[in-house]
Amino acid sequence: MSEIVQYLMSGLTAGAIYAVIALGYTLLYNATELVNFAQGEFVMLGSLGLFTFLSVLGWPLWAAFPAVTLVVGLLGVVLERLAIRPVKKPEPITLIIITVGASIFLRGLAMLLWGKDPHSVPGFAAAAPIRVLGAAIMPQSLWILAVVGLLMGGLHLFSKHTLTGKAMEACAIHRSGAWILGIPSDRMAQLAFAMSAALGGIGGIIISPITMAGYDMGTMLGLKGFCAAMLGGLGSHWGAVVGGLLLGVLESLGVGFFSSGIKDAIAFLLLLAILMARPSGLLGPKAVTRF
Amino acid sequence: MTGKRRLWATTAFAGAIAVASMAVSNAYHQQLLTVIGIHTLLALGLNMLMGYAGQISLGHAAFYGLGAYGTGILTTHYGWSPWAAFPLVLVAAGAVAYVIGRPTLKLSGYYLAMGTLGLGIIGHVIFREWDSMTGGASGMVGIPPLQVGGTVLSLGRSGMILVWVVVLMAFFFCDRLVDSRIGRALRALGDSQGAAAACGVDTGRLKAVIFSFSAVLTALAGFLYAHLVGFISPSSFDFLMSIRMVTMVVIGGMASIYGSLFGASVITLLPEWLHVFSDYEMMVYGLVLMLVMIFLPQGLTRGVLDALEGVKSES
Amino acid sequence: MADRTILHIDGVSKAFGGVQALYRVGFRVAKGHIQAVIGPNGAGKTTLFNVITGATCPDEGRIVLEGMEIQGRPMHELVARGIARTFQNVELFASLTVLENVLVGRHVRTRCGLVGAMVRWPWVEREERGARDAAMELLGFVGLEEVAHKMSGDLPFGWQRLVEIARALASDPRLLLLDEPAAGLNAVETAALADLIQKIRSRGITVVLVEHDMNLTMDISDRIVVLDRGRKLAEGTPREIQADEAVMEAYLGRKG
Ligand SMILES: Nc1ncnc2c1ncn2[C@@H]1O[C@H](COP(=O)(O)OP(=O)(O)O)[C@@H](O)[C@H]1O
Ligand SMILES: [Mg+2]
């Protein structure tokens, strides 16, 4: 029993992080119909950025957290401005190669700046594990769940109750239509890049005390975030969250009941299964019409 | 290319190989040429997918590794002859690609890219973790060399000739493929998917077929690599290798068969000439990919050639 | 009537979000006829073609080709069954030559696969020669033999339209759908097009024609269907349509 609670809890923790990364994909996809293959690098930059602000510059957590989020969000804007907007014919293959290029460029840069070895980042609360139903729960897990919950609520308010949020959704539904209505889709794209990069950065910030921060952590987390977004049906906020949590729990149970070697394979197998059986995701409509 | 031009190009290429095989006697140069040949096969394989189907794979290293580890395991653990392993690994690569490609290629290009990115990572994990078969992180040694008749083909002159003869054949056959019913349908697909479908091209199936073909060529390169070098380790088949292949295609130019040779040469020679290169390798690839695709989306050589032609026709 | 019907559109609807592009449209196309579909912009004509060719699936209704329901079948299968089309905005393959464009149209009537293409068995060579002969014959039919080896993108617009028609004919269709073939053509070219369409019909091919050019439509078509905002407004011979008050008001009146 306590074992299952333990697996569930660590699964939810990892899942919450996948959910944040998946939200980044979803948000960007909704506003621009683009999948950013550098999304995982924003996660990596969040982690390494936090390491630098906390351990090198000695900032307190409450200041370092928003500062890193802001910096990573700005990087998203820079990426959009320099590498996406100048593209004349935005076809998927072109955008994929460009964002992949951005991804390994950032990774190479991170390797030069931070070195090849991972850095450890202190937990947000230095308390001892809390015992619940015989399972030991790390305070960092609670932190992660709280941050993700807040983010979800904020995003929901943003997209349902602010003009900008609604405009962004309108872009997703009909780009040229939104343009006719006077919604500046360029500015929306930029905002979407900023927000999705910031979400990736936050994912990296909250995960760093658990996994350590290293230049090569981005690919796997990016892929898993995409898998989560696909599970929930790319384009749906709640789908991204459910998909993330589901992936996290399945992984953790897989590790618990089979072996840890299988962990990374689970996300991939799920991704393939979902691509083959229901490309619109578990929660999405039956047919993929948007492609 | 018309039949006559194809014949000329092939003859000239064969002549160059014959001359090089006699003239190059320095072991280091022979090795370098061998690697360029193998990389050319990789670039050509991926180019058939990227240039003609307009789709991209970010995990082609998995097929490269499948060719290398497949034959390595069958020959060292099970005592198969390389020639018996040969068809099996190629068919396996083609089948894996078809199974992944058939469902994903009906959707937009992002899905194959993500699916193959995952495949590449899983492939690398398997090569690294499946100790008993693959030797784990330290790799596999003692893969037997190929033998034809009584001649052993190993790294050096004979290996170099073997690789380049294979490259020559691959060029010849790919060229024929491009100039055929299938090739025309592929090029049509790249221009306008809707119009190609309206002409009766089963676009989803065709893309899966060419993806399979591309995987087979890539596995062939892996097969040659394993038997020529005799030693393989997971680091040769990681994500960066997949990116290296994409970069070769982007430099060589989309849908340009002979451009593959150029892209492969640049990516092979750069680290040899610039020894500090390894530290900056990722950043350089990243910059090349971004800059070329932003400014010359047809690829570097194609883009430069088109630009030159534009200047010529204006003056 | 029934046995003379090649295509039966039966209560077909299609909506895009809130736009009802087609609403319960139904009519029959007789074998060997030139059937025109007219209507103002946005009436749903192109959508009708998309539904017939399998490019989109109708929300309701049936499409019957020679007694067989075909709605929702994949496009390549329908081309093989004898439906071919051209596009309102010419969609040639720009990186292919004129001849190659027409050869792509021959796709469903040829068999050569990946391996065959590389090995070039004798039957593949024969098939390729046959396809080239057929394609050249069609280029001759539309009068463009001498530009066969030019890049298709380099041709003047009017010729591109003809290449597209030749490409569609290359699949040996029984039913040819032409989406505004005279758009962008001058008077001389339009007259030649009228001749061409009649020559196509005399090859035994049924033609469905979407067209804005009233003279052309009235001249050559056997029957006309009028669409307006997704609905069928009228149907009849050119004479009947010209006499129809509702059509005059909704379409011709509005135009002029
Ligand atoms: N793919 C689509 N998505 C959304 N709306 C569409 C689409 N295709 C057509 N429409 C709409 O359906 C209506 C009919 O369009 P169409 O069939 O192109 O008309 P026509 O060819 O008669 O000018 C128009 O209002 C058009 O905007
Ligand atoms: Mg139209």
Side-chain angles (χ1 to χ4, degrees):
Chain A
M1 176 65 202
S2 68
E3 247 178 39
I4 292 196
V5 174
Q6 187 84 58
Y7 290 141
L8 223 56
M9 196 58 205
S10 66
L12 285 177
T13 309
I17 289 161
Y18 301 154
V20 178
I21 303 169
L23 274 173
Y25 282 112
T26 295
L27 205 95
L28 188 66
Y29 183 80
N30 273 348
T32 62
E33 290 203 347
L34 190 149
V35 175
N36 176 12
F37 281 77
Q39 182 68 7
E41 297 340 298
F42 292 132
V43 180
M44 173 272 286
L45 289 171
S47 281
L48 285 168
L50 186 72
F51 161 77
T52 299
F53 275 86
L54 285 182
S55 309
V56 180
L57 304 177
W59 286 30
L61 180 66
W62 61 264
F65 196 129
V68 173
T69 309
L70 195 73
V71 170
V72 177
L74 280 177
L75 272 175
V77 175
V78 171
L79 177 67
E80 197 271 340
R81 253 299 157 80
L82 294 186
I84 306 293
R85 201 178 291 186
V87 177
K88 286 187 213 84
K89 246 174 98 190
E91 285 177 24
I93 186 171
T94 311
L95 295 173
I96 293 170
I97 297 178
I98 288 175
T99 55
V100 165
S103 161
I104 58 165
F105 176 77
L106 289 172
R107 196 180 317 169
L109 187 67
M111 190 180 86
L112 282 186
L113 292 178
W114 281 284
K116 284 188 177 166
D117 298 322
H119 303 277
S120 65
V121 176
F124 294 177
I130 305 159
R131 299 235 147 235
V132 178
L133 294 172
I137 290 169
M138 304 298 292
Q140 184 67 24
S141 292
L142 299 178
W143 258 98
I144 289 175
L145 292 174
V147 168
V148 174
L150 277 175
L151 271 178
M152 270 312 293
L155 262 182
H156 184 71
L157 289 180
F158 169 76
S159 60
K160 292 287 176 273
H161 296 282
T162 68
L163 202 58
T164 317
K166 286 183 199 166
M168 223 161 177
E169 299 246 299
C171 276
I173 294 165
H174 202 298
R175 273 175 84 63
S176 49
W179 182 77
I180 289 164
L181 290 177
I183 297 172
S185 65
D186 265 13
R187 288 249 302 280
M188 286 300 144
Q190 202 162 12
L191 182 65
F193 260 93
M195 289 178 63
S196 100
L199 278 169
I202 292 177
I205 292 174
I206 55 184
I207 202 178
S208 56
I210 299 182
T211 59
M212 309 230 284
Y215 80 97
D216 58 354
M217 66 193 287
T219 319
M220 209 64 214
L221 286 168
L223 188 69
K224 287 181 182 172
F226 183 78
C227 174
M230 281 295 293
L231 271 177
L234 192 54
S236 145
H237 288 184
W238 294 105
V241 174
V242 173
L245 295 178
L246 190 65
L247 174 60
V249 170
L250 282 177
E251 261 188 14
S252 148
L253 292 179
V255 173
F257 292 109
F258 298 100
S259 74
S260 62
I262 202 174
K263 183 174 173 223
D264 291 341
I266 287 178
F268 171 64
L269 293 176
L270 270 176
L271 179 63
L272 276 190
I274 203 90
L275 282 175
M276 290 184 188
R278 262 188 90 100
S280 55
L282 294 177
L283 306 178
K286 263 226 168 68
V288 179
T289 49
R290 291 260 285 281
F291 305 98
Chain B
M1 225 184 276
T2 60
K4 214 173 231 165
R5 270 189 62 192
R6 184 180 308 125
L7 196 64
W8 270 110
T10 311
T11 314
F13 196 22
I17 293 172
V19 170
S21 66
M22 290 192 273
V24 180
S25 52
N26 174 317
Y28 168 73
H29 289 154
Q30 285 173 346
Q31 269 185 36
L32 210 54
L33 278 171
T34 307
V35 176
I36 291 179
I38 289 176
H39 283 175
T40 304
L41 283 177
L42 294 176
L44 184 62
L46 188 56
N47 204 343
M48 294 306 286
L49 178 73
M50 282 171 63
Y52 292 106
Q55 295 275 334
I56 186 172
S57 162
L58 299 175
H60 249 45
F63 298 114
Y64 188 35
L66 182 64
Y69 275 101
T71 193
I73 290 170
L74 288 172
T75 50
T76 56
H77 291 305
Y78 296 99
W80 285 36
S81 142
W83 299 119
F86 178 71
L88 191 67
V89 296
L90 297 199
V91 168
V96 170
Y98 195 81
V99 167
I100 292 176
R102 196 67 181 94
T104 45
L105 283 165
K106 280 187 283 191
L107 310 168
S108 94
Y110 294 115
Y111 293 85
L112 184 73
M114 272 296 175
T116 49
L117 178 62
L119 178 74
I121 290 175
I122 290 309
H124 187 237
V125 168
I126 292 173
F127 303 146
R128 205 185 50 213
E129 304 290 329
W130 197 14
D131 273 337
S132 58
M133 278 294 159
T134 64
S138 47
M140 243 182 143
V141 288
I143 300 170
L146 295 169
Q147 267 178 309
V148 178
T151 328
V152 175
L153 304 170
S154 56
L155 216 50
R157 193 185 299 277
S158 57
M160 178 179 76
I161 295 174
L162 169 70
V163 166
W164 281 97
V165 167
V166 173
V167 170
L168 178 70
M169 284 166 57
F171 274 6
F172 179 75
F173 284 120
C174 285
D175 216 8
R176 278 187 155 190
L177 178 62
V178 168
D179 182 24
S180 73
R181 169 178 179 263
I182 297 289
R184 285 188 297 264
L186 274 170
R187 285 178 286 149
L189 187 70
D191 283 344
S192 162
Q193 180 146 339
C199 287
V201 177
D202 183 348
T203 54
R205 182 161 181 280
L206 184 63
K207 285 191 265 184
V209 165
I210 200 67
F211 180 45
S212 249
F213 176 72
S214 141
V216 169
L217 260 183
T218 310
L220 170 63
F223 174 87
L224 290 174
Y225 177 83
H227 288 294
L228 285 176
V229 179
F231 162 76
I232 49 178
S233 75
S235 62
S236 309
F237 311 100
D238 58 2
F239 176 65
L240 197 58
M241 189 65 221
S242 295
I243 295 302
R244 228 175 257 133
M245 293 187 212
V246 174
T247 315
M248 288 189 244
V249 174
V250 165
I251 290 179
M254 306 278 185
S256 151
I257 289 183
Y258 284 87
S260 306
L261 179 60
F262 178 69
S265 308
V266 171
I267 292 299
T268 314
L269 294 176
L270 220 60
E272 296 296 325
W273 290 337
L274 286 169
H275 285 290
V276 289
F277 186 74
S278 68
D279 283 342
Y280 299 95
E281 189 179 11
M282 287 197 274
M283 288 174 71
V284 170
Y285 291 164
L287 274 180
V288 166
L289 292 180
M290 285 192 283
L291 292 176
V292 173
M293 289 319 279
I294 292 171
F295 297 108
L296 304 165
Q298 278 306 305
L300 194 59
T301 40
R302 282 276 297 270
V304 169
L305 285 178
D306 287 354
L308 284 180
E309 226 160 69
V311 170
K312 227 190 295 169
S313 61
E314 263 168 45
S315 61
Chain C
M1 179 76 193
D3 54 326
R4 294 244 307 118
T5 302
I6 185 168
L7 180 73
H8 180 192
I9 315 281
D10 184 13
V12 167
S13 302
K14 177 75 196 178
F16 296 103
V19 180
Q20 193 73 46
L22 290 174
Y23 185 73
R24 301 211 171 144
V25 172
F27 61 93
R28 287 168 188 268
V29 181
K31 214 169 269 180
H33 268 189
I34 295 176
Q35 166 85 51
V37 178
I38 63 171
N41 271 328
K45 305 177 299 288
T46 298
T47 306
L48 181 68
F49 273 18
N50 287 340
V51 169
I52 296 173
T53 55
T56 47
C57 196
D59 300 336
E60 61 169 345
R62 299 184 313 144
I63 295 160
V64 185
L65 177 75
E66 299 188 309
M68 172 151 192
E69 286 196 24
I70 56 165
Q71 69 274 11
R73 311 294 313 168
M75 273 163 112
H76 56 91
E77 194 189 308
L78 297 183
V79 179
R81 282 187 189 285
I83 300 183
R85 77 172 292 177
T86 64
F87 292 89
Q88 184 172 344
N89 313 304
V90 177
E91 293 211 31
L92 288 184
F93 306 117
S95 64
L96 271 61
T97 65
V98 169
L99 178 63
E100 284 177 326
N101 265 278
V102 181
L103 283 169
V104 175
R106 199 88 198 133
H107 193 81
V108 292
R109 301 290 168 235
T110 40
R111 294 269 70 83
C112 163
L114 189 86
V115 176
M118 292 190 287
V119 184
R120 303 241 162 136
W121 316 103
W123 72 264
V124 174
E125 297 277 11
R126 265 199 308 279
E127 179 186 271
E128 180 80 11
R129 268 198 307 276
R132 276 171 197 270
D133 289 347
M136 284 309 288
E137 191 270 324
L138 283 169
L139 281 174
F141 180 66
V142 300
L144 289 180
E145 249 166 334
E146 60 288 11
V147 292
H149 297 287
K150 282 224 159 74
M151 294 311 284
S152 61
D154 297 341
L155 297 192
F157 184 75
W159 292 12
Q160 294 196 11
R161 279 217 181 277
L162 294 177
V163 175
E164 209 189 17
I165 291 175
R167 185 179 73 187
L169 288 172
S171 65
D172 294 343
R174 276 173 294 180
L175 183 67
L176 175 66
L177 313 180
L178 301 173
D179 198 346
E180 304 201 13
L185 300 191
N186 61 34
V188 178
E189 287 171 331
T190 306
L193 179 73
D195 279 350
L196 181 64
I197 294 175
Q198 278 165 323
K199 265 165 58 194
I200 290 173
R201 184 245 301 267
S202 54
R203 287 187 150 210
I205 298 169
T206 310
V207 177
V208 182
L209 172 71
V210 162
E211 194 40 73
H212 271 314
D213 187 314
M214 273 328 211
N215 293 331
L216 177 70
T217 328
M218 295 296 167
D219 269 4
I220 65 170
S221 42
D222 298 300
R223 288 184 72 78
I224 297 179
V225 166
V226 186
L227 293 184
D228 186 31
R229 278 168 279 180
R231 282 153 214 265
K232 186 173 91 174
L233 201 64
E235 181 178 2
T237 62
R239 200 182 290 268
E240 286 163 359
I241 294 299
Q242 270 168 323
D244 191 304
E245 295 273 320
V247 175
M248 284 303 148
E249 192 178 322
Y251 181 51
L252 303 176
R254 201 185 292 166
K255 238 190 131 184

